[in-house]
Amino acid sequence: MATQAFLCFFLFLSLLCITINGEVHQHEFIVQEKSVKRLCKAHNIVTVNGMFPGPTLEVNDGDTLVVRVVNRVRYNVTIHWHGVRQMRTGWADGPEFITQCPIRPGGAYTYRFTIQGQVGTLWWHAHSSWLRATVYGALIIHPKKGSSYPFSLPKREVPILLGEWWDTNPIDVVNAATRTGAAPNISDAFTINGQPGDLYKCSSKETTVIPVTAGETNLFRFINSGLNTELFVSIAGHTMTVVGADASYTKPFKTSVLMLGPGQTTDVLVNTDQPPARYYIAARAYSSAQGLPFDNTTTTAIVQYKNTCCSGQPGSQPILPTLPAFNDTNSATAFGAGIKSPAPVKIPSPVNENLFFTIGLGLLECPSGRRCGGPNNTIFAASMNNFSFVLPSTVSLLQAHQLRVSNVFSADFPAAPPVQFDYTGANISRALWQPIKSTKVYKLKYGSVVQIVLQGTNIVAAENHPIHLHGYDFYIMATGFGNFNSATDTAKFNLVDPPLRNTVGVPVNGWAVIRFVADNPGVWLMHCHLDVHITWGLAMAFLVEDGFGELETLEAPPPDLPEC
């Protein structure tokens, strides 16, 4: 008994030290409309504090964020802190109807959470309908005070947020598609820090310019904030050294091109060792799905050396990099394979939960008497293990779990697909194309080691899926093409230095295997970060049970948690 009392006192002191050593950062986010002009046209967009992109938040590892969000628009709003572990603070995670009911028009909610054991680049974004199109910003986590980077201190650090732009209200775009069951309209432009760049009409004067000085090293923090497009990125004439991804350090490696799926971040060092001039940063789509429309435009920003001048002056035309072709899967694969942990890691084992999830598209039958916009009068859908996820509407999953509200979800999400078939084959039976709409979760015991095979399918169209898991980082054990074969593909696992990520690209017509320890109680959404796919149901949720004692138990909900 005395030993137990001592341990409790020791843990109390440890938590007290964390609070004392870390700072508390308080912010207010006013969600409001603002008129902006892009592509020759002005219209209102939803912003935070009138900024697009929204404010960059900077903290140190161990700090606490307190962000009061006030909703002054006509839509429901939530904010998700993408990649933040949210240890025991699931109420602050943000996905609508998963961990909270949305903030209604005129309402407010304060997100409170501490960042621990994470350093690098994350971001925040709306997690309600398609508000993420314009409601997003960078979240920069510096090392603890007194600590430093495992590389030389850069001269400057620059967040570079890649986005998508619709020349209309993006909420209208998704609502129109939902009404008919069709695919939503593709974006009209890509952006870098909110600007399309001078390859688009009416955009030259506002192109993002990053000033640099010759002979220095800068840290560029790339974030793919786009809704529905994976992006290749390159800087003309310059090699990038990757040093971090998803707020984890990586083994440094050099590359001329990056590929980021929506939700992913990549930190790179760039030496300004070229002749002083103006160089384009350029980004364009990686579109792996054959035959489907995509935004085939290119966004640019300018890296401008000191004492070089602006557009129209002699020698001022920026140099454009060569980007991979839109369907260059080899380049995307090679980049992903280069990301590894900086040192050998202790792989979680033994595995307690061996899960196999198919992920992909589907088609639902059109209701009688309606005309639907999907192929052959159908409705587009998406699913995991043939279940198309439906958000609750009267209470969040986390509240339903905590308050034991019945008939909101069922805890019987299957550990394997109900039917086994040739997942990546060319002739998949049409009987397998129609998923079942449901709200299912999979229960995990606290502390269990979980391994998931994420298997892409060739139903409707195969493509690369960026799968994001809330509340957790995970090790990517391996990726590959075709159908996962446990007898042969486990030999491909990286058991030395697998990368630690929060979003994994599941290759087109291929698979990825991830592993993590279920050490964070709550309800955690796992979904494709192509927003069109989560709209169609490509998601599920884990219900991680409490462990023993306060430090393994979900905190109580805050008093201002929004009501449905």
Side-chain angles (χ1 to χ4, degrees):
M1 189 67 107
T3 302
Q4 186 177 11
F6 173 78
L7 285 173
C8 290
F9 181 68
F10 177 76
L11 289 170
F12 170 76
L13 287 179
S14 299
L15 287 172
L16 187 62
C17 287
I18 289 171
T19 306
I20 292 171
N21 292 333
E23 294 184 13
V24 177
H25 303 262
Q26 301 200 37
H27 300 272
E28 186 170 63
F29 278 11
I30 306 297
V31 181
Q32 59 192 31
E33 290 196 8
K34 181 182 180 180
S35 178
V36 301
K37 187 175 183 180
R38 298 289 187 278
L39 309 181
C40 316
K41 177 183 175 183
H43 63 87
N44 284 350
I45 65 170
V46 179
T47 69
V48 167
N49 298 345
M51 301 170 64
F52 173 63
T56 294
L57 304 184
E58 297 194 52
V59 299
N60 292 89
D61 179 18
D63 288 354
T64 295
L65 270 169
V66 179
V67 185
R68 183 171 185 263
V69 177
V70 181
N71 184 5
R72 292 184 181 168
V73 297
R74 61 187 187 275
Y75 308 110
N76 294 334
V77 172
T78 66
I79 300 294
H80 170 51
W81 313 92
H82 186 108
V84 174
R85 284 293 317 273
Q86 297 289 359
M87 298 300 294
R88 302 178 53 238
T89 53
W91 305 105
D93 190 43
E96 181 182 55
F97 292 115
I98 301 296
T99 58
Q100 65 168 100
C101 293
I103 307 168
R104 303 292 185 185
Y109 177 49
T110 300
Y111 294 88
R112 302 172 178 85
F113 55 91
T114 298
I115 296 171
Q116 298 179 43
Q118 296 181 282
V119 178
T121 305
L122 295 176
W123 61 302
W124 57 265
H125 61 80
H127 212 299
S128 183
S129 185
W130 272 23
L131 286 182
R132 181 164 73 83
T134 56
V135 179
Y136 61 83
L139 172 55
I140 309 303
I141 308 169
H142 299 286
K144 287 180 181 289
K145 289 187 176 179
S147 301
S148 61
Y149 299 125
F151 44 81
S152 298
L153 193 67
K155 179 70 175 180
R156 62 172 58 80
E157 302 182 14
V158 185
I160 300 177
L161 294 102
L162 311 169
E164 276 180 279
W165 179 263
W166 277 262
D167 211 8
T168 187
N169 183 348
I171 304 298
D172 292 343
V173 172
V174 67
N175 287 346
T178 301
R179 279 194 299 272
T180 66
N185 291 340
I186 60 173
S187 55
D188 297 293
F190 299 116
T191 59
I192 296 178
N193 289 353
Q195 295 293 341
D198 53 13
L199 301 184
Y200 297 91
K201 60 183 180 181
C202 305
S203 303
S204 295
K205 291 182 180 179
E206 290 78 25
T207 299
T208 298
V209 176
I210 301 168
V212 298
T213 302
E216 64 186 20
T217 299
N218 298 310
L219 178 62
F220 287 178
R221 300 177 177 273
F222 285 96
I223 303 167
N224 187 345
S225 318
L227 247 69
N228 294 319
T229 308
E230 300 182 296
L231 293 167
F232 287 120
V233 191
S234 191
I235 307 174
H238 293 74
T239 298
M240 296 173 281
T241 301
V242 176
V243 293
D246 292 0
S248 291
Y249 292 125
T250 64
K251 192 169 291 180
F253 74 98
K254 296 183 182 299
T255 182
S256 61
V257 63
L258 315 175
M259 200 291 283
L260 291 85
Q264 292 183 321
T265 72
T266 304
D267 294 342
V268 303
L269 295 175
V270 178
N271 294 323
T272 49
D273 53 5
Q274 298 300 300
R278 307 173 81 224
Y279 299 86
Y280 276 130
I281 302 175
R284 65 170 294 178
Y286 166 50
S287 182
S288 58
Q290 293 185 12
L292 296 186
F294 68 97
D295 184 343
N296 195 17
T297 61
T298 302
T299 181
T300 55
I302 298 171
V303 174
Q304 180 168 301
Y305 279 64
K306 187 178 180 181
N307 297 327
T308 58
C309 197
C310 32
S311 177
Q313 298 298 316
S316 65
Q317 180 59 35
I319 301 164
L320 191 66
T322 300
L323 286 164
F326 72 88
N327 58 355
D328 190 345
T329 293
N330 288 338
S331 289
T333 303
F335 174 71
I339 299 178
K340 298 177 181 177
S341 289
V345 299
K346 185 177 181 181
I347 309 295
S349 62
V351 173
N352 307 114
E353 295 275 2
N354 257 308
L355 308 178
F356 191 106
F357 293 174
T358 55
I359 58 173
L361 306 185
L363 297 172
L364 298 173
E365 291 182 0
C366 188
S368 178
R370 272 185 60 187
R371 180 66 188 168
C372 295
N376 301 315
N377 195 37
T378 58
I379 295 171
F380 273 108
S383 67
M384 290 189 177
N385 278 353
N386 203 44
F387 288 100
S388 188
F389 189 76
V390 178
L391 287 172
S393 59
T394 59
V395 66
S396 75
L397 291 181
L398 190 57
Q399 288 170 293
H401 163 58
Q402 196 218 30
L403 300 174
R404 291 179 169 79
V405 180
S406 59
N407 301 320
V408 176
F409 66 86
S410 60
D412 57 350
F413 187 87
V419 178
Q420 294 185 7
F421 58 98
D422 181 3
Y423 308 113
T424 57
N427 298 300
I428 300 174
S429 169
R430 289 296 177 116
L432 298 169
W433 284 43
Q434 182 160 316
I436 301 166
K437 302 185 80 169
S438 65
T439 307
K440 294 179 180 292
V441 305
Y442 189 91
K443 270 190 179 182
L444 293 172
K445 289 185 177 179
Y446 183 93
S448 57
V449 176
V450 184
Q451 180 169 288
I452 312 173
V453 176
L454 298 165
Q455 174 68 61
T457 70
N458 197 24
I459 296 175
V460 182
E463 63 183 298
N464 191 299
H465 294 278
I467 301 297
H468 172 50
L469 175 59
H470 288 231
Y472 288 90
D473 289 329
F474 48 74
Y475 289 108
I476 302 175
M477 306 304 296
T479 61
F481 293 95
N483 298 331
F484 178 80
N485 185 330
S486 59
T488 57
D489 288 333
T490 51
K492 302 173 184 176
F493 284 9
N494 181 352
L495 300 176
V496 178
D497 54 2
L500 190 65
R501 305 294 301 262
N502 62 56
T503 305
V504 58
V506 179
V508 54
N509 260 333
W511 51 268
V513 180
I514 65 174
R515 193 181 294 189
F516 64 96
V517 179
D519 59 358
N520 193 9
V523 176
W524 305 105
L525 185 66
M526 186 168 75
H527 64 96
C528 183
H529 222 275
L530 302 175
D531 267 30
V532 61
H533 289 177
I534 188 174
T535 302
W536 291 341
L538 212 171
M540 58 81 64
F542 288 106
L543 194 167
V544 181
E545 298 174 327
D546 287 339
F548 297 99
E550 183 179 359
L551 297 183
E552 296 181 0
T553 301
L554 177 72
E555 290 183 359
D560 63 337
L561 190 70
E563 296 181 358
C564 285

